[in-house]
Amino acid sequence: MIKTNLKKIGVFGGSFDPPHYGHLKISKIALKKLKLKKLLWCITKKNPFKKKTYFSLAQRLIMCEKLVKKNKKIKVQYFENKIKSSATIDLIKYLKKKYSNTEFFLIIGSDNLIDLNKWKNWKRLVKLTKIVVFPRKDYDQKAKKSDIFQKMKEIIFINNKHINISSTELRNKLN
């Protein structure tokens, strides 16, 4: 029996527009429950399913750095300039080359699981990573009944209390 010592790295992507303590709480839970060596906050310039961002990329990177500064296992990264793509599949392929002997855990909310089949090369993505789903208010049951959930064999659902904060709510309060 061959024993492998795979490193475990979490990938938490998104626009983080703005980042908030819910993102940090999810990250801490993921680090602990999945026994991750580190967690990458992969900031995207713009969510491909939204028209625009509220805060600039530079502002969001600074806010993310401030939010995670006390946790050395969380690294804020912007890769789109290196990989010339905002697609998660391209990010994962890049990370797999950069970090050999590593198992990747893609952290998403139950809202994203519902539409995962709209992501570029999603079938390849789920083969390259373990999909880790965190609960989101009003989305959990819908996610578990979705076609994508029925087709996928390995999904890790994290059972924790709903974190009742969202970037959308925060942006709405700013307007």
Side-chain angles (χ1 to χ4, degrees):
M1 184 171 160
I2 299 170
K3 192 174 184 181
T4 58
N5 279 334
L6 291 176
K7 288 182 278 183
K8 293 179 171 186
I9 295 178
V11 177
F12 190 15
S15 55
F16 294 85
D17 188 27
H20 52 72
Y21 286 102
H23 293 128
L24 186 59
K25 179 99 172 139
I26 286 167
S27 299
K28 288 178 178 180
I29 292 167
L31 282 163
K32 185 178 178 180
K33 286 194 174 193
L34 301 169
K35 297 177 176 65
L36 301 175
K37 180 178 175 156
K38 69 176 155 182
L39 181 82
L40 303 175
W41 277 22
C42 301
I43 315 303
T44 187
K45 198 172 204 173
K46 187 181 98 39
N47 181 325
F49 300 109
K50 294 183 180 172
K51 290 186 180 181
K52 62 179 183 165
T53 59
Y54 189 90
F55 292 98
S56 72
L57 175 63
Q59 289 172 312
R60 289 180 283 128
L61 287 167
I62 290 167
M63 288 187 281
C64 286
E65 287 287 355
K66 283 182 180 178
L67 194 58
V68 305
K69 71 181 174 190
K70 291 181 181 173
N71 194 313
K72 302 298 179 211
K73 287 189 171 190
I74 302 172
K75 304 291 181 209
V76 174
Q77 303 274 284
Y78 174 69
F79 289 105
E80 290 176 20
N81 55 347
K82 290 179 184 159
I83 64 173
K84 307 294 185 224
S85 173
S86 63
T88 304
I89 185 66
D90 297 327
L91 171 64
I92 295 298
K93 288 194 289 192
Y94 172 81
L95 292 173
K96 282 193 126 353
K97 286 180 187 170
K98 184 176 176 170
Y99 298 99
S100 61
N101 204 33
T102 301
E103 184 176 24
F104 288 95
F105 294 78
L106 182 63
I107 313 295
I108 64 173
S110 58
D111 56 328
N112 281 309
L113 180 62
I114 295 166
D115 293 324
L116 192 66
N117 60 338
K118 294 178 183 174
W119 293 22
K120 179 182 174 186
N121 294 343
W122 71 271
K123 288 180 182 176
R124 179 94 173 107
L125 181 64
V126 300
K127 288 179 181 173
L128 295 176
T129 65
K130 294 205 182 296
I131 305 295
V132 180
V133 180
F134 274 82
R136 291 287 308 265
K137 189 177 183 232
D138 301 325
Y139 290 100
D140 296 351
Q141 292 306 317
K142 195 174 180 182
K144 288 179 180 176
K145 291 178 183 174
S146 68
D147 289 341
I148 194 92
F149 178 74
Q150 305 304 321
K151 291 176 185 174
M152 291 176 59
K153 292 179 180 87
E154 265 193 72
I155 299 177
I156 301 167
F157 268 92
I158 302 294
N159 292 317
N160 67 290
K161 291 181 182 176
H162 283 108
I163 299 166
N164 292 322
I165 186 170
S166 75
S167 295
T168 303
E169 288 173 8
L170 293 175
R171 285 192 306 272
N172 289 340
K173 288 179 181 178
L174 294 171
N175 289 326

